[in-house]
């Protein structure tokens, strides 16, 4: 090993994952010295970072930031992100080349001004994950600091943000005008009849508001929705997808709500040419299963993946090649 040229050693470790690379570095003194002498870990495409600022800076000095495409700031809060943004030039440069940025479970990320600052550095961002950041959506000045539109963002994940409301949703969709993928699982869609005053637009996420948004978004190809169990999901889904005279080219559809076989048949009939994956969390079957199989055979020929959670007690999954 002592006589192995550094170029050959570099070629060997280039095939290691980041986790294996770090483990190898801790194996013995020789490997530690050899790896420390390398300019960078050149195979990095994705990094998951937990709140360890001192490790963050050391890692970014070793990793070529131009090669980092996916960054997850797992459970970071305002103080930690503010520190990175104000003290680390590597962090700023890394943001410019990102395609995917995740703030998942960063429930203490409550400063929208800092959030806007970070997004301003993300010139090539395509996917933004804000799942389980529910307290972030309670801030009164949400995204009002930034007048910029982030047109490169195509995919937005808002799963698990139970505090989402019409007000915050409209703010988000305004600054991300070109969304093609939208995930809203765990956010119960309610009826606007519950809105007794205009102030409730900050506390309720209504079907009517979502429906108005869908009218303008025929480019959507991926959608995940959770319906309030008190709503008649069949009528709402049909209104959302079929009655608005909009032709959607959906490839992925995930619906969390009580849905009948008749509605599933309508979905397959209207979207069968484009739909590749469909997931229904609460499918209500009649006594005869024949209507379900008839619908799948007749209208689901282009589907690659089907998952139907049949109520009350049976779960059936199909994976079609």
């Amino acid at each position: 090993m002592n006589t192995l040229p550094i170029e050959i050693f570099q070629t060997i470790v280039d095939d290691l994952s980041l986790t294996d690379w770090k483990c190898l570095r801790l194996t013995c003194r020789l490997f530690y010295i050899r790896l420390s002498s390398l300019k960078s870990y050149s195979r990095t495409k994705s990094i998951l970072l937990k709140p360890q600022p001192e490790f963050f800076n050391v890692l970014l000095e070793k990793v070529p930031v131009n090669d980092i495409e996916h960054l997850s700031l797992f459970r970071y809060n305002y103080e930690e992100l503010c520190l990175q943004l104000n003290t680390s030039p590597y962090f700023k440069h890394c943001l410019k080349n990102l395609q995917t940025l995740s703030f998942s479970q960063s429930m203490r990320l409550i400063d929208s001004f800092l959030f806007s600052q970070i997004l301003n550095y993300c010139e090539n961002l395509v996917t933004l994950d804000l799942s389980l950041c529910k307290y972030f959506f309670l801030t009164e000045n949400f995204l009002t600091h930034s007048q910029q539109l982030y047109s490169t963002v195509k995919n937005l994940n808002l799963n698990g943000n139970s505090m989402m409301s019409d007000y915050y949703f409209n703010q988000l969709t305004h600054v991300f005008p070109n969304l093609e993928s939208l995930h809203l699982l765990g956010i119960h869609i309610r009826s606007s009849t519950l809105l007794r005053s205009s102030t409730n637009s900050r506390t309720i996420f209504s079907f009517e508001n979502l429906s108005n948004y869908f009218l303008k978004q025929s480019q959507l190809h991926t959608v995940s929705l959770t319906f309030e169990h008190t709503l008649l999901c069949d009528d709402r889904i049909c209104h959302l997808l079929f009655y608005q005279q909009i032709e959607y080219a959906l490839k992925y559809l995930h619906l969390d709500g009580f849905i009948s076989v008749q509605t599933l048949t309508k979905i397959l009939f209207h979207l069968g040419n484009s739909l590749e994956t469909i997931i229904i969390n609460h499918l209500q079957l009649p006594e005869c299963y024949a209507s379900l199989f008839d619908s799948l055979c007749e209208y689901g020929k282009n589907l690659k993946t089907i998952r139907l959670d049949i109520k009350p007690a049976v779960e059936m999954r199909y994976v079609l090649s």
Side-chain angles (χ1 to χ4, degrees), residues 13 18-19 51 57 59 65 68-69 71 105 117 133 140 160 163 207 230 244 251 253 255 266 270 272 276 294 296 308:
V13 298
L18 181 59
T19 300
N57 291 324
L59 180 61
V65 291
I68 301 176
E69 297 176 355
L71 179 63
Q105 300 188 47
Q117 281 186 303
C133 298
E140 290 295 323
M163 302 294 183
F207 168 80
T230 58
Q244 305 195 78
K251 296 181 179 180
L253 181 62
L255 298 175
K266 290 181 181 179
H270 286 276
E276 297 178 357
D294 290 343
L296 292 174
L308 305 175

Short mmCIF file of all heavy atoms in Angstrom, two decimals, residues 13 18-19 51 57 59 65 68-69 71 105 117 133 140 160 163 207 230 244 251 253 255 266 270 272 276 294 296 308:
data_model
loop_
_atom_site.label_atom_id
_atom_site.label_comp_id
_atom_site.label_asym_id
_atom_site.label_seq_id
_atom_site.Cartn_x
_atom_site.Cartn_y
_atom_site.Cartn_z
N VAL A 13 -10.83 4.50 -4.71
CA VAL A 13 -11.78 5.07 -3.75
C VAL A 13 -12.88 5.86 -4.43
O VAL A 13 -13.91 6.14 -3.82
CB VAL A 13 -11.06 5.95 -2.70
CG1 VAL A 13 -10.07 5.13 -1.90
CG2 VAL A 13 -10.38 7.15 -3.35
N LEU A 18 -20.07 7.59 -0.15
CA LEU A 18 -19.56 8.51 0.85
C LEU A 18 -19.45 7.84 2.21
O LEU A 18 -18.49 8.04 2.96
CB LEU A 18 -20.46 9.75 0.94
CG LEU A 18 -20.04 10.82 1.94
CD1 LEU A 18 -18.65 11.35 1.62
CD2 LEU A 18 -21.06 11.96 1.96
N THR A 19 -20.42 6.99 2.55
CA THR A 19 -20.38 6.27 3.83
C THR A 19 -19.19 5.33 3.90
O THR A 19 -18.47 5.29 4.90
CB THR A 19 -21.68 5.47 4.03
OG1 THR A 19 -22.79 6.36 4.01
CG2 THR A 19 -21.66 4.72 5.36
N PRO A 51 -27.58 18.32 11.93
CA PRO A 51 -27.02 19.56 12.52
C PRO A 51 -25.67 19.36 13.20
O PRO A 51 -25.57 19.24 14.40
CB PRO A 51 -28.09 19.97 13.54
CG PRO A 51 -29.33 19.33 13.07
CD PRO A 51 -28.91 18.03 12.48
N ASN A 57 -18.62 21.94 7.48
CA ASN A 57 -17.59 22.74 6.82
C ASN A 57 -16.40 21.89 6.37
O ASN A 57 -15.86 22.09 5.28
CB ASN A 57 -17.11 23.84 7.78
CG ASN A 57 -18.18 24.89 8.01
OD1 ASN A 57 -18.94 25.21 7.11
ND2 ASN A 57 -18.25 25.39 9.23
N LEU A 59 -16.47 18.75 5.58
CA LEU A 59 -16.89 17.91 4.46
C LEU A 59 -16.93 18.71 3.16
O LEU A 59 -16.45 18.25 2.12
CB LEU A 59 -18.27 17.32 4.75
CG LEU A 59 -18.87 16.43 3.67
CD1 LEU A 59 -17.98 15.21 3.44
CD2 LEU A 59 -20.27 15.99 4.05
N VAL A 65 -17.91 20.93 -4.64
CA VAL A 65 -19.29 21.38 -4.51
C VAL A 65 -20.01 21.42 -5.85
O VAL A 65 -21.24 21.36 -5.90
CB VAL A 65 -19.34 22.78 -3.84
CG1 VAL A 65 -18.93 22.68 -2.39
CG2 VAL A 65 -18.46 23.78 -4.59
N ILE A 68 -22.17 18.23 -6.26
CA ILE A 68 -23.27 17.94 -5.35
C ILE A 68 -24.58 18.37 -6.00
O ILE A 68 -24.80 19.55 -6.24
CB ILE A 68 -23.08 18.65 -3.99
CG1 ILE A 68 -21.77 18.20 -3.35
CG2 ILE A 68 -24.25 18.34 -3.07
CD1 ILE A 68 -21.47 18.91 -2.05
N GLU A 69 -25.46 17.40 -6.24
CA GLU A 69 -26.73 17.70 -6.88
C GLU A 69 -27.90 17.63 -5.89
O GLU A 69 -28.93 18.26 -6.12
CB GLU A 69 -26.98 16.71 -8.02
CG GLU A 69 -25.95 16.82 -9.14
CD GLU A 69 -26.15 15.76 -10.21
OE1 GLU A 69 -27.05 14.90 -10.02
OE2 GLU A 69 -25.42 15.78 -11.20
N LEU A 71 -29.02 17.78 -1.74
CA LEU A 71 -28.62 18.15 -0.38
C LEU A 71 -29.83 18.10 0.53
O LEU A 71 -30.88 18.69 0.25
CB LEU A 71 -28.02 19.56 -0.36
CG LEU A 71 -27.57 20.09 1.01
CD1 LEU A 71 -26.43 19.24 1.57
CD2 LEU A 71 -27.15 21.55 0.90
N GLN A 105 -38.46 17.70 8.05
CA GLN A 105 -38.48 17.64 9.51
C GLN A 105 -37.75 18.80 10.18
O GLN A 105 -37.42 18.73 11.36
CB GLN A 105 -37.92 16.31 10.02
CG GLN A 105 -38.70 15.10 9.53
CD GLN A 105 -38.25 13.83 10.19
OE1 GLN A 105 -38.09 13.76 11.40
NE2 GLN A 105 -38.06 12.80 9.38
N GLN A 117 -33.54 33.72 1.40
CA GLN A 117 -32.12 33.93 1.10
C GLN A 117 -31.48 32.66 0.53
O GLN A 117 -30.73 32.72 -0.44
CB GLN A 117 -31.37 34.35 2.36
CG GLN A 117 -31.53 35.81 2.76
CD GLN A 117 -30.66 36.15 3.93
OE1 GLN A 117 -30.74 35.54 5.01
NE2 GLN A 117 -29.79 37.12 3.75
N CYS A 133 -42.50 20.22 7.96
CA CYS A 133 -41.98 21.50 8.46
C CYS A 133 -43.15 22.36 8.96
O CYS A 133 -43.22 23.56 8.70
CB CYS A 133 -41.23 22.26 7.36
SG CYS A 133 -39.78 21.42 6.72
N GLU A 140 -46.16 34.68 10.20
CA GLU A 140 -47.07 35.67 9.62
C GLU A 140 -46.50 36.30 8.35
O GLU A 140 -47.23 36.78 7.50
CB GLU A 140 -47.35 36.77 10.64
CG GLU A 140 -48.22 36.31 11.80
CD GLU A 140 -49.62 35.92 11.36
OE1 GLU A 140 -50.16 36.58 10.44
OE2 GLU A 140 -50.17 34.96 11.91
N GLY A 160 -47.30 16.06 5.12
CA GLY A 160 -47.22 16.09 6.58
C GLY A 160 -47.36 17.45 7.22
O GLY A 160 -47.28 17.56 8.44
N MET A 163 -50.48 22.08 9.28
CA MET A 163 -50.81 23.49 9.50
C MET A 163 -51.02 24.25 8.19
O MET A 163 -51.28 25.44 8.21
CB MET A 163 -49.69 24.18 10.30
CG MET A 163 -49.39 23.55 11.63
SD MET A 163 -50.77 23.71 12.77
CE MET A 163 -50.06 22.98 14.25
N PHE A 207 -60.97 22.62 -0.33
CA PHE A 207 -61.07 21.98 -1.64
C PHE A 207 -61.28 23.02 -2.73
O PHE A 207 -60.71 22.92 -3.82
CB PHE A 207 -62.23 20.98 -1.65
CG PHE A 207 -62.59 20.50 -3.01
CD1 PHE A 207 -61.83 19.50 -3.61
CD2 PHE A 207 -63.64 21.06 -3.71
CE1 PHE A 207 -62.13 19.06 -4.89
CE2 PHE A 207 -63.95 20.62 -4.98
CZ PHE A 207 -63.20 19.62 -5.58
N THR A 230 -64.73 13.52 6.25
CA THR A 230 -66.11 13.98 6.27
C THR A 230 -66.59 14.41 4.88
O THR A 230 -67.77 14.63 4.68
CB THR A 230 -66.27 15.16 7.24
OG1 THR A 230 -65.38 16.22 6.84
CG2 THR A 230 -65.93 14.74 8.66
N GLN A 244 -63.69 20.00 -14.94
CA GLN A 244 -63.22 21.35 -15.17
C GLN A 244 -62.72 21.56 -16.61
O GLN A 244 -62.13 22.58 -16.92
CB GLN A 244 -62.09 21.69 -14.18
CG GLN A 244 -62.51 21.50 -12.73
CD GLN A 244 -61.56 22.18 -11.77
OE1 GLN A 244 -61.61 23.39 -11.60
NE2 GLN A 244 -60.70 21.41 -11.14
N LYS A 251 -49.12 11.15 -14.58
CA LYS A 251 -48.42 9.88 -14.63
C LYS A 251 -48.47 9.17 -13.28
O LYS A 251 -48.35 7.94 -13.21
CB LYS A 251 -46.95 10.09 -15.03
CG LYS A 251 -46.77 10.64 -16.43
CD LYS A 251 -45.30 10.81 -16.76
CE LYS A 251 -45.11 11.34 -18.18
NZ LYS A 251 -43.67 11.52 -18.51
N LEU A 253 -50.60 9.22 -9.46
CA LEU A 253 -51.73 9.73 -8.68
C LEU A 253 -51.86 8.92 -7.41
O LEU A 253 -52.01 7.70 -7.44
CB LEU A 253 -53.02 9.64 -9.50
CG LEU A 253 -54.29 10.18 -8.82
CD1 LEU A 253 -54.16 11.67 -8.53
CD2 LEU A 253 -55.52 9.91 -9.69
N LEU A 255 -54.13 8.96 -3.90
CA LEU A 255 -55.30 9.54 -3.25
C LEU A 255 -55.52 8.85 -1.91
O LEU A 255 -55.66 7.63 -1.84
CB LEU A 255 -56.54 9.37 -4.13
CG LEU A 255 -56.50 10.06 -5.50
CD1 LEU A 255 -57.72 9.71 -6.31
CD2 LEU A 255 -56.36 11.56 -5.34
N LYS A 266 -63.66 5.83 -13.43
CA LYS A 266 -63.61 7.12 -14.11
C LYS A 266 -62.19 7.64 -14.22
O LYS A 266 -61.79 8.19 -15.25
CB LYS A 266 -64.48 8.13 -13.38
CG LYS A 266 -65.97 7.87 -13.47
CD LYS A 266 -66.75 8.94 -12.72
CE LYS A 266 -68.25 8.66 -12.80
NZ LYS A 266 -69.03 9.68 -12.04
N HIS A 270 -60.42 8.31 -17.83
CA HIS A 270 -59.99 9.63 -18.26
C HIS A 270 -58.47 9.78 -18.33
O HIS A 270 -57.95 10.55 -19.15
CB HIS A 270 -60.56 10.70 -17.33
CG HIS A 270 -62.02 10.95 -17.51
ND1 HIS A 270 -62.52 11.80 -18.47
CD2 HIS A 270 -63.10 10.44 -16.86
CE1 HIS A 270 -63.84 11.83 -18.40
NE2 HIS A 270 -64.22 11.01 -17.43
N GLY A 272 -56.20 7.02 -18.28
CA GLY A 272 -55.54 5.75 -18.58
C GLY A 272 -54.42 5.84 -19.58
O GLY A 272 -53.47 5.06 -19.55
N GLU A 276 -49.32 6.03 -15.06
CA GLU A 276 -48.42 4.88 -14.91
C GLU A 276 -48.49 4.29 -13.51
O GLU A 276 -48.26 3.09 -13.35
CB GLU A 276 -46.98 5.31 -15.21
CG GLU A 276 -46.76 5.78 -16.65
CD GLU A 276 -45.34 6.24 -16.90
OE1 GLU A 276 -44.53 6.24 -15.93
OE2 GLU A 276 -45.03 6.58 -18.06
N ASP A 294 -62.84 -5.80 -13.95
CA ASP A 294 -63.24 -5.36 -15.29
C ASP A 294 -62.65 -3.99 -15.60
O ASP A 294 -62.17 -3.74 -16.72
CB ASP A 294 -64.77 -5.30 -15.39
CG ASP A 294 -65.40 -6.69 -15.39
OD1 ASP A 294 -64.67 -7.67 -15.64
OD2 ASP A 294 -66.62 -6.79 -15.13
N LEU A 296 -59.93 -2.59 -14.25
CA LEU A 296 -58.48 -2.68 -14.40
C LEU A 296 -58.09 -3.27 -15.74
O LEU A 296 -57.16 -2.80 -16.40
CB LEU A 296 -57.89 -3.53 -13.27
CG LEU A 296 -57.96 -2.94 -11.85
CD1 LEU A 296 -57.47 -3.95 -10.83
CD2 LEU A 296 -57.15 -1.66 -11.76
N LEU A 308 -53.83 -0.79 -4.21
CA LEU A 308 -55.18 -0.54 -3.75
C LEU A 308 -55.32 -1.09 -2.34
O LEU A 308 -55.23 -2.31 -2.14
CB LEU A 308 -56.20 -1.21 -4.68
CG LEU A 308 -56.09 -0.85 -6.17
CD1 LEU A 308 -57.08 -1.67 -6.97
CD2 LEU A 308 -56.30 0.64 -6.39
#
